[in-house]
Amino acid sequence: MTEKTKYPVAQADEVLSNGRKLVTVKGIEIGIFYAGGEFRAWRNVCPHAAAPVCAGKVCGTRLPSLVQEYKYGRDQEILRCPWHGWEFDLITGEHLVDAKVKLRGYPVDVEQDQLYVWM
């Protein structure tokens, strides 16, 4: 098993003010987001067709509801792939329809205002 190393990727205020930050660590493009009260890091590859998913819209989605009733929720917790509209939970990385499909995530540490990704 290889040992993981932490890499500095951004200042917390950069992510908070811009909604996200795309970074490259060890040749891998990663999107840094703030969702659910924590910073999250997701690999910038959609599992569907390898699109740059982290460049997609951060939004909410329709919630389960009655027929002809449309409830919107989870605002700023959903990442929508820019190519085909697949929606992913920014907190868990799971696809909203098929939880077996997930974004590749990396642990994030915050030390003072500096964000680090473990790889």
Side-chain angles (χ1 to χ4, degrees):
M1 185 170 141
T2 60
E3 191 171 316
K4 293 187 179 199
T5 304
K6 74 177 180 180
Y7 297 90
V9 291
Q11 296 296 117
D13 60 340
E14 290 178 275
V15 176
L16 294 173
S17 63
N18 298 315
R20 79 186 87 201
K21 180 163 185 183
L22 297 178
V23 299
T24 302
V25 178
K26 293 178 60 175
I28 298 170
E29 203 168 83
I30 298 169
I32 311 296
F33 298 87
Y34 186 77
E38 294 184 21
F39 291 95
R40 316 286 176 160
W42 302 109
R43 189 170 190 168
N44 193 19
V45 176
C46 180
H48 169 238
V53 68
C54 294
K57 183 177 182 177
V58 175
C59 55
T61 191
R62 288 190 184 152
L63 300 176
S65 56
L66 299 173
V67 174
Q68 296 184 351
E69 180 179 278
Y70 302 98
K71 291 183 181 179
Y72 179 82
R74 312 251 352 248
D75 195 37
Q76 302 303 299
E77 292 182 1
I78 305 301
L79 178 61
R80 185 177 297 147
C81 181
W83 285 7
H84 301 108
W86 282 36
E87 292 181 328
F88 296 90
D89 184 321
L90 272 174
I91 297 168
T92 65
E94 292 177 355
H95 184 264
L96 293 191
V97 176
D98 185 353
K100 293 180 295 216
V101 177
K102 281 185 82 166
L103 298 174
R104 168 89 188 257
Y106 302 93
V108 178
D109 276 349
V110 183
E111 294 176 12
Q112 295 165 350
D113 191 42
Q114 180 67 49
L115 303 179
Y116 296 89
V117 169
W118 286 89
M119 296 181 71

